[in-house]
Amino acid sequence: ILNVEQSPQSLHVQEGDSTNFTCSFPSSNFYALHWYRWETAKSPEALFVMTLNGDEKKKGRISATLNTKEGYSYLYIKGSQPEDSATYLCALYSGGGADGLTFGKGTHLIIQP
Amino acid sequence: SAVISQKPSRDICQRGTSLTIQCQVDSQVTMMFWYRQQPGQSLTLIATANQGSEATYESGFVIDKFPISRPNLTFSTLTVSNMSPEDSSIYLCSVAVVGVGTGELFFGEGSRLTVL
């Protein structure tokens, strides 16, 4: 069983502040790393799919980095806005015939006005 | 991309009953996945549903408890059978449009089941 850990479990951030959180995974099982945003009563929505060590991706105020050798990825949100409030999920694809993704429990982010 | 309609969005069920969740995709896709999120837990893959073949179940999930149908490339159902309170979860269907793993997953909005 693969272990994908996310920290912190929840986070309260003031509007306008920047924040970041972590996803850790077993580096020996790495093939791809996904980040999703899941707002209440909506579908999880993909943010990034990352495959290369040192990769850095950006979408608006959100960016992510990847270190496959040490088995972690960071998600950064710059200048948090209320609409950023959601649960952020990371998921590992280990390849080798695996069909699905192994998800972490998520970081629940609340932006306080 | 893919747009997925999933229903019901939520339901309250009695112990011992069964409920079928439907998932409709706006395009033809080969692989569909069914996930479950129990309270406080991570999204966990139940099974992979391929059209024209038996679903492939993950460890800890069995066909008798979670029968799946995949009659065509745009539709699938998951039945939660003989429900108990432990089955109270959010159930999500998802599809991979471009490859498995290196392509993003698209999800339905989920079915939130409460079993009394």
Side-chain angles (χ1 to χ4, degrees):
Chain A
I1 297 178
L2 298 175
N3 200 24
V4 178
E5 299 280 348
Q6 290 189 248
S7 62
Q9 186 175 348
S10 66
L11 192 55
H12 288 68
V13 175
Q14 287 295 125
E15 182 177 353
D17 288 350
S18 297
T19 187
N20 65 85
F21 26 93
T22 307
C23 174
S24 302
F25 53 87
S27 56
S28 59
N29 297 102
F30 177 83
Y31 196 95
L33 194 284
H34 294 222
W35 281 100
Y36 292 85
R37 175 171 59 200
W38 193 3
E39 296 179 64
T40 303
K42 294 187 178 180
S43 312
E45 174 191 34
L47 291 171
F48 307 111
V49 178
M50 308 173 81
T51 57
L52 299 175
N53 183 46
D55 207 3
E56 193 167 331
K57 295 205 171 185
K58 187 175 181 181
K59 181 185 284 190
R61 294 179 292 99
I62 304 176
S63 60
T65 61
L66 178 66
N67 184 321
T68 61
K69 296 186 186 305
E70 296 183 36
Y72 64 85
S73 176
Y74 293 135
L75 190 79
Y76 300 90
I77 302 178
K78 185 177 179 181
S80 303
Q81 299 297 309
E83 59 265 29
D84 297 327
S85 296
T87 296
Y88 291 83
L89 302 172
C90 74
L92 177 69
Y93 179 65
S94 58
D99 283 335
L101 303 179
T102 301
F103 282 83
K105 292 184 179 181
T107 293
H108 184 52
L109 178 64
I110 298 171
I111 306 301
Q112 298 171 321
Chain B
S1 67
V3 177
I4 301 174
S5 299
Q6 187 176 337
K7 58 181 180 182
S9 58
R10 59 176 63 236
D11 208 337
I12 299 174
C13 308
Q14 295 300 316
R15 184 193 300 256
T17 63
S18 299
L19 183 82
T20 296
I21 301 167
Q22 298 180 6
C23 183
Q24 178 76 52
V25 190
D26 69 342
S27 58
Q28 293 185 336
V29 291
T30 303
M31 300 181 81
M32 294 179 72
F33 307 96
W34 286 97
Y35 283 88
R36 176 178 78 175
Q37 186 185 47
Q38 294 177 299
Q41 302 302 311
S42 56
L43 274 175
T44 301
L45 182 65
I46 298 171
T48 301
N50 296 329
Q51 194 267 334
S53 64
E54 293 284 330
T56 303
Y57 289 82
E58 296 299 303
S59 176
F61 297 96
V62 295
I63 188 171
D64 289 346
K65 176 68 175 177
F66 298 100
I68 287 171
S69 76
R70 183 81 199 274
N72 57 54
L73 291 174
T74 64
F75 187 78
S76 179
T77 67
L78 169 77
T79 298
V80 186
S81 302
N82 189 24
M83 284 186 284
S84 66
E86 293 70 37
D87 295 318
S88 297
S89 300
I90 301 173
Y91 293 85
L92 286 158
C93 69
S94 69
V95 302
V97 174
V98 180
V100 175
T102 54
E104 65 185 272
L105 291 183
F106 296 89
F107 288 88
E109 291 183 345
S111 298
R112 184 183 294 271
L113 302 188
T114 301
V115 184
L116 303 178

